[in-house]
Amino acid sequence: MRQLVFILLIVMGVMADLYWVSPTGEATWANAKSATALSGAACCARATMNTGLLAGDTAYLRGGTYTLSLAAEQDAIDPDSSGTDLDNRITILNYNDEDVIFETGRFAINLNCDATRNGTTKKRQYIKVSGSAGHLITFNQFDKTLWILKTSNNEIAYCKFYDRIPSNPTGLTPQGCYIYIGAHHNWIHYNEFVQWGSCQPYGTDEGGPFQMGINDACDSGTSHNLVENNYMAYGGHHVAWLGGSYNVYRNNYFQNAPWCSSGTFATRILVQNGWADGYTGDNIDGIHNLNEGNSVAYGGPKNKNEVGGNIIMVMGSHNIWRYNVCARSYCSTFWVHCYNDYGEVARYNHVYNNTVWHGGYGYYQDYYDPRHTAPTGNWARSFHHPVNIEDDTTVSKNTFKNNLFYDNNVAGDYSLIISGGAKADSSFTVEGTDYYTVDAAPITRQNLVNNWTDHMGNPKFVDISAAAVPAIDPTTLWNFNLQASSDAIDNGTYLATADGAGDNSKTLVLNTEEKDPYPASALFYDVGGIASEWPTANVNNDWIAIGTVTDTIQIGSINYATNTITLQTAKTWANGASVWLYKKSDGVVVLNGLPDMGAFEFNSEDAPKKRVWKMTLTR
């Protein structure tokens, strides 16, 4: 395929400059240029590549191990220059599916545009680094893995960043990967971010494999990044921090299984934080992100004197969590929460059509039962439920709709009160400001609508019989599609309704709900230019159905401030017409007749063939 592309370039009269790099390279940059493959000493060295690359150049990495020095602050991929646009990028590839390994340096991929060399600030945008399916470019034992700072339009694909477990966690760089402060329109896909940090038993926890945005200060301009189809696992403090704003996090696999890491990791998995309403303009972090189609499993206990192990911590505002599958958390699957000392709020998040299975069964969680002796004072009984919402003024107006909860730990006397003073076997718990006291008052600050809760019985998944404990490279297969006899089929409800009729109109205004006064247009997503920046990424504005489930149309744009959706073509609808999601951002249809509950819409022909929960990178 690469030879065909090369021939086409010659025919077109546009000759790309090809350079060759090897672990034993000795050539100058000029002598490493060749239209045919070079190898060994005839190639240049890694450091020569970094200083020599210019816009339009392609560098091929020959297979083998490139050994660097952390003490000498050597970086593996650290280009001095920048591309100018997608057609004139700097491109770094492994050659002919050869296995490329970089070991023991400072930065694995350094796209930090605060950095300087010889007094000149590096720009470093429009840079592509990619291995190939089954032959990832591997970076092992680096002090920092992927850093993208104050730059844009970079593509990182088919790379593996792993293994940084220091004996002194307090001296560790907080995150392995950092994408922050003005990092926008970057595409991160088909990578592995694995094993970063440490979680000492009843001691210090540090580090995480992946972070977007900043967790303890306002970020600026980290937005419109696309993070998809990655495998992320095993972090000391968390696996992935999904901050920034207007980013798309979709179709990734996350896990933190404690039995796979000898107790080194095993804690929370995903965190999405955000800042108080007083922050305006670009200085807002953790808002309007789309979290879609992800598989998340095995949040383990914290192994220290603090509650941890939640699968997803929702601490931001105006974010969408939809069509995700969450399985086998030790603690809560969704913990809607904020740390007031950071000035955060968790409001107006829209959590719909997710599947949550077998949560809250970690053996440490047995200590919620007062008949047991707790090892610490911090294991609260509330954390054994699949959804835990800290219901107060900073955590309010969050919508949970059409979600499917099954086989979660909501048993016996410890089911918590959710509404009207009536006790029920429900998937929802609500707490007050005291983390260890159940708030018995009815829910007034959250919007909980039409969810399949555990007491409703078996929703009849196609196949969840596979072994519960995966290997460190998980290949466990579960199928959370619905059987034809499931009562969850056609049991979902609409997401919004039209505020006023439309007569051959492109302008759709939506009603708001009493318990969710934020504009209902926030239930849907406008990708905001990601598609134009990455035309091959198959990222699209949502499609919706208006009035009837067959009357479908793609969204052109959304004005969240005015609660207005502009349609691609004109439609006609009645006042109060129901509005459903028809296609999500990857073009997958999620409406087949009336909407179903959970993450997978039933299709009698397709359902038996759909299998989820298996990544196809190196496994």
Side-chain angles (χ1 to χ4, degrees):
M1 182 65 185
R2 285 173 177 162
Q3 290 177 341
L4 176 60
V5 172
F6 180 65
I7 293 170
L8 289 173
L9 288 172
I10 294 176
V11 172
M12 294 168 63
V14 181
M15 182 66 181
D17 288 337
L18 305 181
Y19 295 85
W20 302 88
V21 188
S22 83
T24 56
E26 298 179 0
T28 64
W29 182 243
N31 289 337
K33 178 181 176 180
S34 173
T36 58
L38 303 178
S39 62
C43 302
C44 72
R46 166 203 53 80
T48 304
M49 174 193 72
N50 286 328
T51 57
L53 282 165
L54 296 174
D57 290 346
T58 295
Y60 280 118
L61 304 171
R62 298 306 305 260
T65 300
Y66 298 71
T67 302
L68 293 85
S69 168
L70 175 59
E73 297 188 340
Q74 291 180 340
D75 302 338
I77 295 178
D78 177 27
D80 282 355
S81 298
S82 175
T84 58
D85 54 48
L86 288 180
D87 295 325
N88 198 36
R89 292 195 283 182
I90 288 174
T91 304
I92 302 171
L93 307 170
N94 68 327
Y95 174 67
N96 200 27
D97 290 339
E98 293 180 359
D99 292 320
V100 175
I101 301 171
F102 291 95
E103 289 189 340
T104 60
R106 183 180 62 166
F107 286 95
I109 299 178
N110 185 1
L111 302 180
N112 179 351
C113 289
D114 265 356
T116 60
R117 180 173 285 144
N118 299 325
T120 302
T121 301
K122 300 180 182 182
K123 190 173 183 180
R124 298 200 283 201
Q125 64 179 3
Y126 292 104
I127 295 171
K128 176 179 179 178
V129 181
S130 179
S132 54
H135 300 274
L136 311 187
I137 299 175
T138 299
F139 301 89
N140 179 28
Q141 287 284 335
F142 278 77
D143 188 50
K144 305 172 183 68
T145 57
L146 171 63
W147 278 49
I148 298 177
L149 169 63
K150 294 185 178 180
T151 185
S152 66
N153 302 94
N154 299 293
E155 180 181 356
I156 310 298
Y158 294 104
C159 293
K160 181 175 182 177
F161 308 93
Y162 79 105
D163 203 13
R164 191 74 165 93
I165 312 171
S167 57
N168 177 21
T170 58
L172 177 72
T173 300
Q175 313 305 330
C177 163
Y178 235 143
I179 303 172
Y180 69 129
I181 305 182
H184 63 90
H185 291 98
N186 298 287
W187 186 14
I188 315 298
H189 60 118
Y190 288 107
N191 302 285
E192 297 190 12
F193 298 87
V194 184
Q195 295 183 188
W196 184 273
S198 178
C199 183
Q200 296 178 335
Y202 298 100
T204 301
D205 66 336
E206 293 284 347
F210 183 87
Q211 178 137 350
M212 180 88 74
I214 301 177
N215 62 319
D216 59 357
C218 258
D219 201 343
S220 177
T222 297
S223 65
H224 299 95
N225 298 286
L226 176 58
V227 180
E228 63 174 346
N229 297 307
N230 300 284
Y231 170 58
M232 304 185 190
Y234 309 118
H237 182 268
H238 58 268
V239 170
W241 197 286
L242 307 182
S245 299
Y246 299 96
N247 300 298
V248 175
Y249 304 101
R250 69 178 189 185
N251 302 329
N252 301 286
Y253 179 98
F254 306 92
Q255 73 145 320
N256 215 10
W259 51 83
C260 294
S261 57
S262 302
T264 305
F265 303 110
T267 180
R268 61 183 65 81
I269 300 181
L270 302 182
V271 180
Q272 193 161 71
N273 74 327
W275 290 88
D277 294 342
Y279 290 96
T280 59
D282 291 333
N283 294 320
I284 299 179
D285 196 14
I287 65 167
H288 290 297
N289 295 292
L290 174 63
N291 308 276
E292 174 185 88
N294 300 294
S295 297
V296 194
Y298 302 111
K302 190 87 180 294
N303 287 340
K304 61 175 287 188
N305 190 22
E306 180 184 333
V307 170
N310 304 286
I311 280 188
I312 299 171
M313 295 179 68
V314 180
M315 302 191 298
S317 296
H318 316 298
N319 299 294
I320 298 173
W321 291 86
R322 68 186 187 192
Y323 297 94
N324 303 287
V325 176
C326 305
R328 292 190 175 273
S329 64
Y330 268 42
C331 302
S332 302
T333 297
F334 283 98
W335 185 21
V336 187
H337 158 82
C338 69
Y339 293 106
N340 290 330
D341 52 339
Y342 284 163
E344 296 168 333
V345 295
R347 298 187 182 123
Y348 309 120
N349 294 289
H350 294 93
V351 182
Y352 62 90
N353 282 99
N354 301 281
T355 293
V356 177
W357 172 62
H358 202 79
Y361 280 104
Y363 67 92
Y364 276 123
Q365 299 317 302
D366 199 31
Y367 289 109
Y368 78 84
D369 188 332
R371 292 170 294 182
H372 293 244
T373 302
T376 77
N378 288 352
W379 291 103
R381 72 179 187 175
S382 60
F383 288 94
H384 78 283
H385 279 260
V387 174
N388 180 7
I389 304 171
E390 291 181 1
D391 188 56
D392 63 20
T393 56
T394 60
V395 182
S396 60
K397 312 305 181 185
N398 298 289
T399 292
F400 281 76
K401 182 178 288 191
N402 291 342
N403 299 290
L404 196 162
F405 299 91
Y406 178 60
D407 194 29
N408 296 285
N409 187 3
V410 291
D413 292 339
Y414 302 101
S415 299
L416 301 185
I417 298 168
I418 63 165
S419 64
K423 205 167 195 177
D425 252 354
S426 168
S427 296
F428 294 99
T429 74
V430 177
E431 293 191 332
T433 54
D434 180 353
Y435 291 1
Y436 315 114
T437 302
V438 176
D439 182 357
I443 297 174
T444 58
R445 297 188 180 98
Q446 317 301 331
N447 188 35
L448 311 181
V449 181
N450 199 63
N451 297 281
W452 182 286
T453 53
D454 289 273
H455 73 283
M456 295 171 68
N458 187 347
K460 299 182 181 178
F461 296 129
V462 169
D463 183 6
I464 52 173
S465 62
V469 180
I472 194 164
D473 277 342
T475 55
T476 299
L477 289 174
W478 293 316
N479 190 331
F480 292 99
N481 287 276
L482 301 171
Q483 298 179 35
S485 58
S486 172
D487 289 337
I489 294 173
D490 294 345
N491 221 348
T493 188
Y494 56 84
L495 295 180
T497 57
D499 182 7
D503 184 8
N504 196 33
S505 174
K506 290 186 178 181
T507 303
L508 171 65
V509 180
L510 299 180
N511 287 307
T512 58
E513 298 186 35
E514 180 182 355
K515 291 186 178 181
D516 182 11
Y518 192 73
S521 57
L523 288 153
F524 306 102
Y525 201 78
D526 172 356
V527 298
I530 295 177
S532 61
E533 296 293 333
W534 301 110
T536 63
N538 188 32
V539 56
N540 312 281
N541 284 359
D542 285 350
W543 284 66
I544 57 176
I546 310 172
T548 66
V549 294
T550 58
D551 195 3
T552 61
I553 183 65
Q554 188 173 24
I555 291 172
S557 62
I558 301 176
N559 187 327
Y560 296 109
T562 62
N563 202 18
T564 301
I565 294 175
T566 301
L567 306 174
Q568 289 279 30
T569 58
K571 287 285 183 180
T572 298
W573 60 88
N575 181 33
S578 297
V579 181
W580 302 268
L581 181 68
Y582 173 62
K583 287 183 184 180
K584 50 192 179 70
S585 73
D586 56 5
V588 172
V589 173
V590 292
L591 189 64
N592 178 38
L594 293 174
D596 302 340
M597 304 179 79
F600 296 99
E601 182 78 357
F602 176 75
N603 181 306
S604 58
E605 294 181 358
D606 198 32
K609 301 174 186 177
K610 284 185 180 177
R611 308 284 296 180
V612 296
W613 220 274
K614 184 175 183 180
M615 294 297 291
T616 55
L617 298 181
T618 59
R619 280 161 288 286

